Amino acid sequence: MTRFGIQPGKQAGGGCLPTAGLIFSGRIHPFPLPRVPTIARRFVLCAVFFGILTGHAQDERQKRLPVLSFPQPEIDDPKTYAEYETRFFTDSKENTLQILFDRATGRVVHLWADAANESLSFTARDEAGRPARLDWDSRGVWVHTRGDLRLAEYRLKTIEQKLHLGHILLCSMRKEREFQYNGLHLQPFDSPPFQEPELKEFLGLLEDSPPADRVDFLAALEVSSSEELHARLSPVVSESRSQSTHTIRFRQSSFDGRNVLQLDIEADSAGVAISRTSAGIVLRSRQGGGLTFSVRIASNAPALTPLKREEIFRNEFLEFLEDAARSGMRKREVLWLDRQVKSLELLSSAEKLMAGLPNFATYFGRDMIMSMLMLEPVIAPSLHEHALRTILGKLSPRGEVSHEESLGGQAIRENIGTVNKMIKALAGKDPDSEERKTRSAILALLKDLQKTREDYKMLDDDFQFPVLVARYLQRTDVPSRQKRAFLQQEIHGVSVEKLILRNLDYVCRTSLPYARKPSVTNLIAFSRRTNDSWLPASWRDSNAGYANGKYAMDINAIWVPAALEAVRTILDSLESLGIRTDGSSFPELSGSPLAEFMSHRENLLRAEEIWRDAAKHFEVVLDSADFLPHIARRLNGMGTKAREYWLSTMDQISIPSSLRFLALSLDSLGSPLAIPHTDVGMMLFLRDISSSPGGGQKVGVLLNPVITRFPVGLFVDGLGPLVANDSYAPPAVWAAFDKDRYHSPYTVWGREVNLLLLGIRNQKSMEPGIRALLDSASAMIATASERSGLSHNELWTYEIQDGVLAPVRYPTGSDIQLWNLTDLALRFLQWRDLHRN
């Protein structure tokens, strides 16, 4: 498409002659305007500039085909997707746009994975109120930019003659997730609108505030009345008609008025009648057949800065991709590689790597750290540095790693919650200096409601980060001068080097009590919640994830000792780069545990050795007389179909004389909660245990439960290793996992599969017995995971129908998850082994 623009041009003799330009693919090709009378020339200029100022000037409208589509016939079994379909595109700024259809509920969601993590959604129902099936009427989407808006448009069709669209929600993806998690998308269309309680509370507090405060608060939000704020809670609906089309527009302003989201439903007036109702839109066929209509979405939120492929991957990995495409590799494997590579590209930007799409289209510290560690063989140094900078830029003053950022609409919601607390604290108090400070803080926050908020409640990422730093400093493909330059860069006015030391000091301080006195009560503990349970502040962060344990095995037996080892490595690396680490070089650390370890490395090594031994607290040994009755009781507590199926599999299991494993967690008294799990993959991934003294026995303790079939162990043919097994736990734990299945005996996690496979690969022992166990375990896990057909998903589950177990997509899982893409490292390493041999 051609666009018309104006740029200044030089006129012979020193005058200025207007020059028009035809713009092809963003480039201006000038030619002089013919000489016309001054008035006419001015009219042309005014007309063009008026178009620019009024937003009529726009980028070229481009058709974008899907980058990825799920299910993909050559790779996916359509049965595993059961009424679910999604496509991924890039918009005019190359940001990711995901459009998904959940046909089981009629929900259509547009995730805009930009700097505000946005969602535009609606639900489609037929005349009887049942979920209506919508299908694509166009393969691609048309994208362009108009003024500060990014737009995307596509067409849909349905066999229905009458269609109701409701539950229209223009918001952050976090709000859409909450909307669905609470089942509100299944409610009648005339249900009360879903509005953030924090915003509604603020409006109530505003009305009750003293008049002077109310005026100041409104001014900070750049509105003149509370009615204007009330109006921002709901979209403004408007209609427009042309000679051939009828459009209904929903336009939602953010609560601070700085951004807008827009959803248009448009149809050909000759074939479709559109009408508004109090609960949404009704579309009717005028000619008795099915319906077709257009969906157009728009946003003016900031865009992210996408990374190029060569900024993400090592050159050697790119060579592997080229070789795979021409070497005769099976078509399915080539398509799989292509999917995984494109998925990582869709998640990658200069600002951050997003955790997953659609549910986690934002920064998660743990996800970035774990993914970078697992992808290390394939990622370029530039991506490693991007990840480190992102994490360091969000570090707390104490050195804690941010678990998750809240931005856009979610930041507004959380910041308003903080404002509400401050307003309530002011109520009934006489003005004084502290009151004035509070009012100033309220006004400052109201003026910057989209200020990004960081969440520091997770514990595991604080100890994972030093490992990522150490791996960067040990990279042989990064010259010393580049490492020194990176360490000298400043983030928020503080050098990278000092920010790293801030985290190391936090690690040393929090691990010191156990290093001095290695008792259970000095382990790293979760914090107590108000309902007398323990906050699951590690990767199994669902309510049931750690079975209400107080001390997590993965933090205490894996990550703390790994972090202390990384501290040693970092200090040694800094010295090799010419940076003194004797404590005197960093006076701000004077008297800190890190300064002590800098000056006395033997104490640091001793602390690491003590923490390595912390695994002893989590050891569980059960003989068959103990564990078989537990299994019988657990099976009796299941539903009929599940009980009958698992009972039928018991004959195929070689029952061991005893079970040995590391417990998932310890309860508040320090007793192990006897739950086998897949977290042992992390331990194998971080260290070569097989080559250490007694390595065979240690590897057996870690791997045997993983490859022993469920319900004795974790393994399920055609599915993979379940993330936990509660057969040996109390009935209260069964009930918790039955209710909250995210990290339960009902799920397999792609992250855990890849950690196990990478961890097994990391074991170097060639002793025949150990090697046989490692090779057998690797083959079993890889084969079962691949046969599930869902291993690119965040997690997956199963159903039992007619006595057969079938893998099923987890309903709230992400289609693309950052740490599930780490199988790229496995495939690359296998290819490299072949070429080296």
Side-chain angles (χ1 to χ4, degrees):
M1 184 177 292
T2 300
R3 291 186 290 123
F4 187 83
I6 292 288
Q7 69 173 18
K10 293 285 182 74
Q11 179 182 357
C16 184
L17 177 68
T19 303
L22 288 176
I23 304 178
F24 300 97
S25 303
R27 300 183 66 181
I28 300 176
H29 304 269
F31 62 88
L33 283 173
R35 290 193 175 275
V36 292
T38 302
I39 293 177
R41 200 160 62 232
R42 287 177 179 172
F43 176 80
V44 171
L45 286 171
C46 289
V48 172
F49 283 116
F50 178 78
I52 294 171
L53 292 172
T54 56
H56 294 294
Q58 61 183 43
D59 286 350
E60 182 179 353
R61 191 169 181 265
Q62 298 178 334
K63 184 176 182 180
R64 296 284 173 90
L65 297 178
V67 177
L68 290 174
S69 300
F70 296 169
Q72 189 173 345
E74 302 91 341
I75 298 178
D76 303 311
D77 179 356
K79 294 179 183 177
T80 62
Y81 274 81
E83 299 299 307
Y84 180 88
E85 182 181 355
T86 187
R87 293 181 181 180
F88 297 85
F89 303 90
T90 56
D91 68 10
S92 57
K93 299 295 184 182
E94 308 304 326
N95 280 208
T96 301
L97 171 63
Q98 180 180 3
I99 304 174
L100 63 89
F101 301 158
D102 182 355
R103 297 193 175 99
T105 65
R107 193 71 174 160
V108 178
V109 177
H110 307 82
L111 163 68
W112 225 322
D114 55 17
N117 187 19
E118 299 176 295
S119 171
L120 306 93
S121 55
F122 59 83
T123 297
R125 293 176 182 166
D126 64 15
E127 193 167 8
R130 297 168 300 205
R133 181 183 177 91
L134 298 177
D135 289 297
W136 299 92
D137 194 45
S138 56
R139 188 178 173 209
V141 301
W142 287 264
V143 302
H144 62 287
T145 303
R146 184 170 63 226
D148 64 348
L149 287 176
R150 286 173 289 122
L151 299 100
E153 182 177 356
Y154 66 101
R155 291 182 60 78
L156 288 174
K157 63 183 178 181
T158 178
I159 61 172
E160 306 295 339
Q161 296 183 34
K162 185 176 181 182
L163 190 68
H164 295 253
L165 303 183
H167 288 323
I168 294 163
L169 209 56
L170 312 180
C171 56
S172 73
M173 189 60 203
R174 287 276 295 273
K175 182 175 177 179
E176 173 66 25
R177 276 168 47 196
E178 185 177 344
F179 185 70
Q180 292 197 38
Y181 286 177
N182 291 324
L184 300 180
H185 62 308
L186 305 176
Q187 298 298 313
F189 283 163
D190 58 0
S191 301
F194 179 47
Q195 296 173 340
E196 294 90 332
E198 297 87 348
L199 306 188
K200 295 168 71 176
E201 182 184 23
F202 172 76
L203 290 168
L205 292 170
L206 185 66
E207 292 301 312
D208 295 335
S209 296
D213 285 350
R214 189 183 314 133
V215 170
D216 288 343
F217 297 161
L218 291 171
L221 289 167
E222 299 182 359
V223 292
S224 58
S225 68
S226 57
E227 286 74 20
E228 288 185 56
L229 287 178
H230 274 284
R232 290 177 180 176
L233 294 181
S234 304
V236 175
V237 187
S238 61
E239 294 185 61
S240 61
R241 289 178 172 85
S242 69
Q243 289 184 341
S244 58
T245 62
H246 184 182
T247 305
I248 297 182
R249 169 169 295 173
F250 297 82
R251 186 176 175 89
Q252 177 80 55
S253 171
S254 59
F255 195 68
D256 62 354
R258 301 203 175 169
N259 296 117
V260 294
L261 285 169
Q262 187 172 294
L263 170 69
D264 296 349
I265 303 297
E266 184 173 277
D268 183 345
S269 301
V272 179
I274 306 182
S275 59
R276 290 168 54 185
T277 71
S278 60
I281 298 177
V282 176
L283 296 90
R284 295 182 180 86
S285 173
R286 294 185 187 275
Q287 300 168 350
L291 297 163
T292 61
F293 59 97
S294 293
V295 178
R296 183 166 52 248
I297 59 175
S299 168
N300 70 345
L304 296 172
T305 310
L307 296 177
K308 298 176 182 177
R309 182 168 290 194
E310 56 270 22
E311 296 176 279
I312 299 173
F313 297 107
R314 291 181 192 243
N315 290 334
E316 192 177 6
F317 178 76
L318 297 177
E319 293 172 7
F320 157 62
L321 292 181
E322 292 180 4
D323 183 71
R326 64 172 180 260
S327 65
M329 183 183 288
R330 284 191 307 152
K331 181 181 179 182
R332 187 182 186 280
E333 293 178 8
V334 173
L335 291 172
W336 182 272
L337 278 173
D338 181 65
R339 170 192 278 184
Q340 299 295 81
V341 167
K342 288 177 177 175
S343 294
L344 187 53
E345 290 174 331
L346 290 171
L347 294 175
S348 300
S349 70
E351 292 80 4
K352 61 195 166 192
L353 274 70
M354 292 176 283
L357 306 174
N359 292 326
F360 311 111
T362 187
Y363 161 94
F364 277 68
R366 175 196 304 124
D367 298 58
M368 275 184 60
I369 295 169
M370 288 301 303
S371 301
M372 291 299 94
L373 289 173
M374 296 163 73
L375 284 167
E376 185 184 354
V378 307
I379 61 170
S382 56
L383 189 65
H384 206 148
E385 291 177 356
H386 275 303
L388 291 173
R389 271 193 295 267
T390 300
I391 296 164
L392 289 169
K394 297 174 176 293
L395 216 60
S396 79
R398 298 177 62 206
E400 300 155 291
V401 170
S402 170
H403 162 60
E404 179 182 5
E405 67 179 1
S406 294
L407 37 73
Q410 183 64 20
I412 290 174
R413 179 177 183 174
E414 294 180 16
N415 283 323
I416 280 289
T418 300
V419 167
N420 293 343
K421 292 177 182 177
M422 290 192 287
I423 292 176
K424 286 186 281 189
L426 287 176
K429 294 184 178 180
D430 295 327
D432 59 21
S433 60
E434 287 302 315
E435 300 302 309
R436 287 193 293 273
K437 287 182 182 178
T438 302
R439 281 182 171 82
S440 296
I442 290 173
L443 294 174
L445 198 47
L446 288 175
K447 291 176 182 178
D448 190 16
L449 278 180
Q450 292 196 45
K451 180 180 180 181
T452 302
R453 295 176 63 96
E454 308 295 346
D455 177 356
Y456 297 106
K457 67 176 177 286
M458 291 292 148
L459 301 177
D460 54 344
D461 46 16
D462 303 326
F463 300 96
Q464 292 165 351
F465 183 61
V467 181
L468 183 64
V469 174
R471 295 286 180 90
Y472 170 75
L473 293 175
Q474 288 179 303
R475 288 187 71 135
T476 58
D477 59 343
V478 181
S480 295
R481 65 180 181 278
Q482 183 176 337
K483 293 175 183 175
R484 282 192 291 268
F486 176 71
L487 291 168
Q488 291 165 6
Q489 291 179 18
E490 290 194 350
I491 301 173
H492 307 315
V494 182
S495 70
V496 165
E497 173 190 64
K498 289 186 177 180
L499 288 169
I500 289 171
L501 294 178
R502 184 184 295 177
N503 170 256
L504 300 192
D505 183 51
Y506 175 81
V507 166
C508 294
R509 276 187 286 112
T510 52
S511 62
L512 196 58
Y514 185 85
R516 287 176 173 167
K517 184 182 179 182
S519 63
V520 168
T521 54
N522 283 332
L523 291 170
I524 306 297
F526 292 148
S527 59
R528 186 183 291 276
R529 295 192 288 199
T530 54
N531 61 356
D532 221 24
S533 63
W534 301 97
L535 177 71
S538 190
W539 89 271
R540 296 172 181 261
D541 54 358
S542 57
N543 286 327
Y546 285 90
N548 199 32
K550 180 179 180 180
Y551 307 97
M553 191 284 292
D554 64 315
I555 294 175
N556 289 284
I558 301 175
W559 287 114
V560 177
L564 292 172
E565 180 183 7
V567 172
R568 281 196 301 116
T569 300
I570 292 167
L571 296 179
D572 291 345
S573 298
L574 292 177
E575 288 189 348
S576 71
L577 294 170
I579 301 170
R580 291 179 58 190
T581 59
D582 58 1
S584 61
S585 304
F586 304 97
E588 65 272 20
L589 294 173
S590 178
S592 70
L594 177 58
E596 166 68 16
F597 287 152
M598 283 178 168
S599 301
H600 301 282
R601 298 294 176 81
E602 69 278 7
N603 293 344
L604 176 56
L605 180 59
R606 176 62 181 153
E608 179 191 337
E609 291 172 347
I610 290 172
W611 270 101
R612 291 276 177 213
D613 198 38
K616 66 186 178 186
H617 300 296
F618 298 86
E619 291 176 354
V620 175
V621 181
L622 300 172
D623 62 34
S624 57
D626 290 328
F627 68 73
L628 287 176
H630 278 287
I631 292 173
R633 285 192 291 271
R634 181 64 183 106
L635 294 181
N636 285 334
M638 294 181 178
T640 303
K641 291 181 181 179
R643 180 174 62 252
E644 291 177 352
Y645 177 82
W646 294 118
L647 279 172
S648 71
T649 66
M650 288 294 290
D651 293 338
Q652 306 166 25
I653 302 175
S654 177
I655 305 296
S657 59
S658 65
L659 279 177
R660 296 188 62 187
F661 56 88
L662 296 177
L664 179 66
S665 60
L666 309 179
D667 65 19
S668 58
L669 299 177
S671 300
L673 289 163
I675 300 173
H677 53 87
T678 53
D679 287 2
V680 295
M682 296 182 212
M683 195 173 286
L684 295 167
F685 171 71
L686 291 171
R687 300 189 77 199
D688 174 15
I689 295 172
S690 67
S691 301
S692 63
Q697 183 181 21
K698 293 176 182 176
V699 169
V701 169
L702 298 178
L703 278 181
N704 281 327
V706 175
I707 58 175
T708 299
R709 284 171 169 76
F710 186 81
V712 179
L714 299 167
F715 190 78
V716 180
D717 280 318
L719 192 75
L722 299 173
V723 77
N725 181 352
D726 61 3
S727 294
Y728 318 112
V733 174
W734 309 346
F737 277 133
D738 283 344
K739 182 179 179 181
D740 185 352
R741 299 189 171 194
Y742 202 49
H743 298 98
S744 75
Y746 299 93
T747 62
V748 178
W749 277 69
R751 159 199 144 121
E752 296 295 273
V753 167
N754 291 339
L755 269 172
L756 284 162
L757 293 175
L758 287 166
I760 290 169
R761 181 184 175 82
N762 193 40
Q763 306 307 301
K764 307 302 182 188
S765 173
M766 298 307 296
E767 193 277 318
I770 300 175
R771 198 74 253 159
L773 171 62
L774 293 168
D775 292 345
S776 173
S778 181
M780 286 178 66
I781 294 167
T783 300
S785 172
E786 184 172 351
R787 282 178 55 199
S788 76
L790 290 164
S791 58
H792 61 284
N793 279 243
E794 178 189 9
L795 71 163
W796 54 99
T797 184
Y798 64 86
E799 290 180 350
I800 296 171
Q801 298 291 342
D802 300 323
V804 177
L805 183 144
V808 176
R809 180 183 172 276
Y810 194 80
T812 59
S814 286
D815 300 298
I816 295 176
Q817 190 76 9
L818 183 60
W819 54 31
N820 282 45
L821 305 176
T822 52
D823 71 321
L824 289 170
L826 281 164
R827 294 167 189 265
F828 168 71
L829 291 171
Q830 291 165 356
W831 172 83
R832 192 173 68 180
D833 288 346
L834 287 173
H835 279 248
R836 285 181 176 177
N837 294 334

